[in-house]
Amino acid sequence: MTNRQLAFIGLGNMGGGMAGRLVESGYALTVYNRTASKAAGLVSAGAKLADAPERAAAGHDIVMLSLSDEKAVEEILFGRVVPVLAPGTVIVDTSTVSPGYAREAAVRLADKGLRRVEACVVGNPLQARKGQLRVYVSGDPADLYDARPILEAIGSEVTHVGAPGNAAAMKLILNLLLGAQVASLAESVGYGVAAGLDRDQLIGAIAGSGFSSMVMRFRADLMLKRSYEPAFFRSELMEKDIRIAQEAAAALGASLPVLDVVRERYAAVLAAGDGDKDASVLVEYQPQ
């Protein structure tokens, strides 16, 4: 157990799970979330709630972030938190951003005497709560050393993958595979139902086949139950991750034609107002 002080900003599905795990592991957390009600369980467990991100971060030597996108990181971290941090503070950023932005953020923070640990987490909120995430880390190994106990509390595996931006690229690649699998599953189910197969029997057959995976079985179960809320991975975030991966790949001269189509499918989900639902809701949107 530890009584080390830690600020945690961003209590969405993944952030809330990680924060809960850290409190359970003995960390004294000061937390902030735009929707304060999401912190109720953590406060009951002993965390302190701040009414602004800068007040959560002030006075802490480690600040952990779990924010939705680059715009949120820019606004919260650079706009409000950085000015109150002491030189040498370690910022553990689990937000999914582009590799280019990750590299830029590391330089901007270093210029202010701050240290950024790029910690991209792979898993779902249930795994976050149980400390079973896979954590891919980029940055200075010395900074990772200071953050490692925290990362080992939330993850069953912590892997250093090199320079800033590399962990972001790894996370995006894994999310691309997730998006492609969910899209192919959704289309297969759509075709099967159109061909006259029983929907539930078909989904069960796919999930139990040698063509399945842990990810596909998990999403197949959500499709079977038509259980898309609360989301384990919001469709809006899936579309965002595919988009920033496309942009990063294009900058390197790499093409992602399969994922171009997948992104269009998720854009349709967003346009219909279901961006907050789990990515598996794609099965309800069959292409015409």
Side-chain angles (χ1 to χ4, degrees):
M1 298 290 283
T2 178
N3 60 2
R4 190 170 189 183
Q5 300 281 325
L6 171 68
F8 200 111
I9 298 171
L11 303 174
N13 290 342
M14 291 295 287
M18 289 186 283
R21 175 65 179 176
L22 290 169
V23 169
E24 188 178 80
S25 300
Y27 283 88
L29 260 62
T30 301
V31 301
Y32 168 78
N33 193 65
R34 184 176 56 184
T35 305
S37 60
K38 289 188 177 181
L42 292 166
V43 172
S44 296
K48 179 181 177 182
L49 177 63
D51 62 0
E54 55 269 35
R55 282 190 275 278
H60 292 88
D61 58 3
I62 294 187
V63 176
M64 197 161 183
L65 301 177
S66 179
L67 301 173
S68 59
D69 53 27
E70 293 172 11
K71 180 180 178 181
V73 173
E74 196 67 29
E75 176 187 341
I76 299 297
L77 176 60
F78 288 101
R80 302 179 66 174
V81 169
V82 165
V84 305
L85 298 181
T89 298
V90 176
I91 297 159
V92 181
D93 194 352
T94 70
S95 312
T96 303
V97 299
S98 69
Y101 185 85
R103 289 189 288 269
E104 176 191 327
V107 171
R108 290 167 66 190
L109 291 172
D111 286 345
K112 295 182 179 298
L114 304 171
R115 300 182 289 160
R116 182 179 189 269
V117 172
E118 182 179 326
C120 296
V121 297
V122 177
N124 61 47
L126 297 177
Q127 292 170 316
R129 188 65 183 81
K130 295 177 181 178
Q132 296 174 347
L133 298 172
R134 283 180 294 151
V135 187
Y136 293 97
V137 185
S138 290
D140 189 328
D143 299 339
L144 171 59
Y145 179 83
D146 286 345
R148 182 171 282 276
I150 294 167
L151 301 178
E152 289 180 342
I154 63 170
S156 57
E157 173 187 329
V158 180
T159 305
H160 187 258
V161 293
N166 284 7
M170 180 75 80
K171 172 68 179 287
L172 289 173
I173 288 166
L174 294 174
N175 282 354
L176 291 179
L177 291 171
L178 169 60
Q181 285 189 68
V182 173
S184 65
L185 175 58
E187 289 190 4
S188 298
V189 171
Y191 162 60
V193 170
L197 296 175
D198 178 80
R199 182 183 187 275
D200 292 359
Q201 185 180 51
L202 172 60
I203 292 175
I206 294 171
S209 74
F211 304 103
S212 189
S213 65
M214 289 181 63
V215 164
M216 194 172 283
R217 284 191 294 274
F218 185 82
R219 254 61 201 195
D221 185 58
L222 297 181
M223 291 178 183
L224 190 64
K225 298 174 181 175
R226 286 190 163 92
S227 176
Y228 309 124
E229 294 180 288
F232 287 89
F233 192 149
R234 290 191 290 123
S235 294
E236 180 181 15
L237 296 181
M238 177 63 76
E239 191 276 340
K240 180 265 294 184
D241 287 358
I242 296 173
R243 172 171 45 80
I244 61 177
Q246 287 175 315
E247 293 167 354
L252 297 171
S255 62
L256 303 174
V258 171
L259 277 304
D260 290 343
V261 176
V262 174
R263 184 190 167 197
E264 290 175 5
R265 297 290 312 284
Y266 278 105
V269 173
L270 270 60
D274 279 343
D276 284 337
K277 293 183 179 179
D278 189 83
S280 55
V281 77
L282 194 64
V283 74
E284 308 295 341
Y285 290 84
Q286 293 305 318
Q288 302 299 315

